[in-house]
Amino acid sequence: MSHSIIFDTDPGVDDAQAIAIALRHPEIELLGLTTTYGNVDVETATHNALLLSELAGRGDVPVAQGAAGPMVKPRYPAPAHIHGANGLGNIDLPAVTGCRDPRSAAQFIVDTVNARPGEVTLVAVGPVGNLAAALQLDPGLTEKVRQVVIMGGSIGEGGNVTPVAEANMFNDPHAAQRVLTAGWPLTLVGLDVTHRCVLTQEHMSRIEAGQGELGKVLAGSYDFYRDFYREFLGIDGCCPHDSCALAWLLRPELFTTAPGHLSVVTEGAAEGQTIFAPEGRGFIQERWSQTPLAEVCLETDGDAVVEWITATLA
Ligand code: RIB
Ligand code: CA
């Protein structure tokens, strides 16, 4: 089955790997990249999205710029120690020749979904302000998208930027609460599964060999990202978080999911925490089962996912 997708992203080393998949996979029609701040400021994110597309020979893919900061809270500084100040491991990068789409990311999403109702899947792998803004422009989007896949959150795994919050949810919890409770067909691909996947140097060598000019950027930025994983997490390799969203879309049989009700903590020490109430389970208050049903990923075969990523790009 093929998928027509808009890929919403903050590239970002692991975003770059996922963008390479979206640009290359024969079962993906990439309708556009929409950008957000997150791993980098939004101008850098847009620059990187244009660059990665051009290096893949896909300068035809529209890139629309979106959110420069969170909806409500102040923006945290970008994590340059993880992704590099340029988002791609501080490696030297070639010049970009193309220009971004003049529309905002939110307007691009609204226009594209309305042009093909029922056909477009939104895959979001950064803070989700662009999706929240698109819903504000057109609340009827919930009935017109085919699917929404979000890399973010954590059900039982704990957080990666606070003890309870995953980065994309933490960066804009108000947008996340809006998007995760919108009542559209949504799957959350969070740390419970992305932490089961480790992309090693051996995998990256195969990817570099298969990706031409883009491969040099993927491999160079990987080196920087891997150093972070080694130093801070004691892992020899990196978690390809954002590629897991595409792995779920294209190879759902590699994942175990469960239906339930999601909400996101927007204030206080637990801001950005995703709360999951399994479908049918009673709690002391009804509030936990009042948000629309969504699907969450709980387990995966991490080795198989990483092999799928590598084989796609090699
Ligand atoms: O928590 C992982 C997520 O945060 C990924 O999307 C990564 O790119 C960072 O933004
Ligand atoms: Ca990301």
Side-chain angles (χ1 to χ4, degrees):
M1 188 196 298
S2 71
H3 299 270
S4 303
I5 73 168
I6 298 172
F7 196 75
D8 188 65
T9 175
D10 58 337
V13 177
D14 63 315
D15 300 71
Q17 298 157 3
I19 289 170
I21 294 172
L23 288 164
R24 174 165 179 141
H25 200 286
E27 290 167 39
I28 294 177
E29 180 193 15
L30 183 58
L31 301 173
L33 296 166
T34 51
T35 62
T36 170
Y37 80 95
N39 293 326
V40 285
D41 63 76
V42 72
E43 288 81 13
T44 306
T46 302
H47 171 275
N48 291 348
L50 288 165
L51 175 69
L52 295 162
S53 307
E54 288 176 13
L55 291 176
R58 295 291 313 278
D60 58 301
V61 173
V63 175
Q65 182 164 298
M71 282 172 62
V72 176
K73 72 185 222 179
R75 177 157 77 94
Y76 265 73
H81 63 298
I82 303 176
H83 295 270
N86 69 357
L88 295 170
N90 288 340
I91 61 171
D92 290 336
L93 297 170
V96 164
T97 55
C99 295
R100 66 180 166 94
D101 192 283
R103 289 168 287 180
S104 70
Q107 191 64 56
F108 180 87
I109 290 169
V110 167
D111 291 351
T112 307
V113 172
N114 277 294
R116 295 174 61 172
E119 292 181 20
V120 179
T121 293
L122 306 178
V123 183
V125 300
V128 292
N130 291 337
L131 273 57
L135 282 172
Q136 202 153 338
L137 286 176
D138 182 358
L141 277 186
T142 53
E143 307 295 325
K144 292 181 266 192
V145 295
R146 178 171 159 192
Q147 239 174 330
V148 181
V149 185
I150 292 179
M151 189 282 123
S154 169
I155 308 307
E157 177 72 3
N160 59 357
V161 289
T162 79
V164 296
E166 182 279 331
N168 292 338
M169 302 291 104
F170 178 83
N171 273 332
D172 197 343
H174 296 85
Q177 168 68 1
R178 174 83 184 87
V179 169
L180 268 52
T181 62
W184 45 11
L186 180 141
T187 300
L188 196 68
V189 183
L191 300 180
D192 305 85
V193 292
T194 68
H195 278 176
R196 306 285 89 77
C197 304
V198 177
L199 192 76
T200 65
Q201 178 63 63
E202 186 267 328
H203 295 115
M204 183 47 68
S205 298
R206 288 164 58 198
I207 290 170
E208 181 178 12
Q211 284 289 304
E213 284 304 304
L214 179 55
K216 292 178 193 162
V217 173
L218 297 180
S221 59
Y222 171 87
D223 287 347
F224 187 95
Y225 197 48
R226 188 194 52 197
D227 287 349
F228 164 79
Y229 273 85
R230 186 180 292 139
E231 187 177 339
F232 287 86
L233 304 172
I235 294 173
D236 189 17
C238 75
C239 297
H241 298 284
D242 294 346
S243 299
C244 292
L246 293 173
W248 180 82
L249 187 64
L250 288 142
R251 297 291 306 277
E253 70 277 11
L254 299 179
F255 296 80
T256 304
T257 65
H261 308 272
L262 284 167
S263 48
V264 182
V265 179
T266 54
E267 313 283 341
E271 64 172 332
Q273 179 177 15
T274 43
I275 299 174
F276 175 68
E279 183 183 21
R281 169 106 184 260
F283 290 98
I284 195 167
Q285 296 166 316
E286 283 186 8
R287 59 183 286 204
W288 301 113
S289 48
Q290 281 173 343
T291 57
L293 278 175
E295 202 76 13
V296 299
C297 291
L298 294 177
E299 291 172 29
T300 191
D301 179 344
D303 290 344
V305 169
V306 170
E307 187 49 41
W308 177 83
I309 292 168
T310 307
T312 300
L313 295 175

